[in-house]
Amino acid sequence: MIEGLSGMNRPKILTTPPSVEGSFGGSQMWAPTPLMQNCGCGIIAGLDAVMRIAGEGEISKDDYLKRFDEASRFIRPILLPGRHDKPKMIFGNEFLGSFGVSTGRFRRGIKKLAASRNIRIKVKSFVFGYEEKAKMYLEQGVPLIALIAAPFNNVTLLNANDVPFKVGFHWVTCTGIDDKYLEVSSWGGKYKIPLSDLDKATAAVKFFAVLPAPELEEKA
């Protein structure tokens, strides 16, 4: 048993992302601004993890967007100065002035978000040996998040119909893993990522397991 998941905390944690009017987890594409649609995936991943630990499985889209707005005050993307409502072309690509949520901002922000709801958590990250560790955490029902960093946009997300979507810098919620694919929640749907893509020399993936802090369990 993983530390922090026994006793009264265990039944509270949901094994899947929250359902938002039939979706499979939240989606930054519901955000009202192009900026958050572009860089809100880290906020979604953190919000969904905290909701799971709090035992919230179903919510309306309106209520979810209120939570998203609140979460964005804690899990904050890196923004450049200036306007962010219209994209600029940089090296042939559209850029809205955000580099997304960094790993440091994610760790600090999700802890602050959880604390705002009187939930204490700890975040464990790992890179190497991710297949075995991811399987262990997922079998325990631990909210597990992955950050994909692929500067050449060469990591593929396959939807339920195996239609491919290429990503570069993207946060996802992990929901399963086998010897070929990492199953994830992204954009409010179910996707799978070939492990061969994550193992490319031109891509990197870092995992974050979100657990209740042991102190919370002792006080429960």
Side-chain angles (χ1 to χ4, degrees), residues 11 38 58 75 85 94 100 131 139 172 188 199 215:
N38 179 259
E58 296 185 18
I75 306 173
D85 55 341
E94 291 187 351
E131 292 181 52
E139 287 176 351
V172 295
D199 293 336
E215 294 83 359

Side-chain angles (χ1 to χ4, degrees), residues 16-72:
T16 60
S19 174
V20 187
E21 297 184 6
S23 74
F24 189 61
S27 172
Q28 70 269 29
M29 302 312 295
W30 302 333
T33 65
L35 176 66
M36 282 302 173
Q37 292 172 9
N38 179 259
C39 68
C41 52
I43 302 169
I44 294 291
L47 173 58
D48 284 6
V50 172
M51 288 180 63
R52 284 176 59 187
I53 291 176
E56 297 181 80
E58 296 185 18
I59 189 172
S60 71
K61 186 178 290 187
D62 286 344
D63 285 342
Y64 186 89
L65 286 173
K66 292 177 184 176
R67 301 281 183 84
F68 176 82
D69 182 63
E70 175 189 357
S72 69

Side-chain angles (χ1 to χ4, degrees), residues 186-199:
S186 180
W187 305 306
K190 296 181 180 181
Y191 292 81
K192 59 184 181 181
I193 305 172
L195 299 187
S196 57
D197 276 20
L198 299 180
D199 293 336

Side-chain angles (χ1 to χ4, degrees), residues 14 18 22 25 36 50 56 59 83 99-100 107 116 121 138 150 156 163 170 177 185-186 194 197 203 212 214:
L14 302 182
M36 282 302 173
V50 172
E56 297 181 80
I59 189 172
R83 296 180 60 180
F99 293 104
R107 294 179 73 108
S116 72
I121 63 171
L138 290 169
T156 305
V163 176
H170 191 45
I177 190 169
S185 164
S186 180
D197 276 20

Side-chain angles (χ1 to χ4, degrees), residues 15-210:
T15 56
T16 60
S19 174
V20 187
E21 297 184 6
S23 74
F24 189 61
S27 172
Q28 70 269 29
M29 302 312 295
W30 302 333
T33 65
L35 176 66
M36 282 302 173
Q37 292 172 9
N38 179 259
C39 68
C41 52
I43 302 169
I44 294 291
L47 173 58
D48 284 6
V50 172
M51 288 180 63
R52 284 176 59 187
I53 291 176
E56 297 181 80
E58 296 185 18
I59 189 172
S60 71
K61 186 178 290 187
D62 286 344
D63 285 342
Y64 186 89
L65 286 173
K66 292 177 184 176
R67 301 281 183 84
F68 176 82
D69 182 63
E70 175 189 357
S72 69
R73 302 171 194 171
F74 299 102
I75 306 173
R76 301 174 60 187
I78 298 173
L79 302 178
L80 294 180
R83 296 180 60 180
H84 305 104
D85 55 341
K86 294 183 179 180
K88 306 175 181 65
M89 296 301 296
I90 299 180
F91 301 114
N93 297 311
E94 291 187 351
F95 182 65
L96 277 165
S98 172
F99 293 104
V101 178
S102 67
T103 57
R105 288 192 174 205
F106 179 81
R107 294 179 73 108
R108 293 189 298 271
I110 192 173
K111 290 179 180 178
K112 291 178 180 179
L113 174 61
S116 72
R117 304 189 60 187
N118 296 317
I119 298 172
R120 297 184 63 181
I121 63 171
K122 60 181 179 179
V123 181
K124 291 188 175 182
S125 61
F126 57 92
V127 175
F128 302 107
Y130 71 83
E131 292 181 52
E132 180 179 345
K133 294 176 182 176
K135 185 176 295 185
M136 176 189 71
Y137 282 119
L138 290 169
E139 287 176 351
Q140 292 286 346
V142 174
L144 184 64
I145 297 163
L147 171 61
I148 300 162
F152 298 102
N153 291 334
N154 60 346
V155 170
T156 305
L157 270 69
L158 299 167
N159 69 8
N161 297 315
D162 285 340
V163 176
F165 297 85
K166 296 291 186 178
V167 299
F169 188 92
H170 191 45
W171 292 87
V172 295
T173 296
C174 305
T175 58
I177 190 169
D178 57 25
D179 59 346
K180 291 184 178 180
Y181 296 101
L182 175 68
E183 298 172 357
V184 302
S185 164
S186 180
W187 305 306
K190 296 181 180 181
Y191 292 81
K192 59 184 181 181
I193 305 172
L195 299 187
S196 57
D197 276 20
L198 299 180
D199 293 336
K200 290 177 179 177
T202 53
V205 60
K206 189 169 187 175
F207 292 83
F208 300 82
V210 184

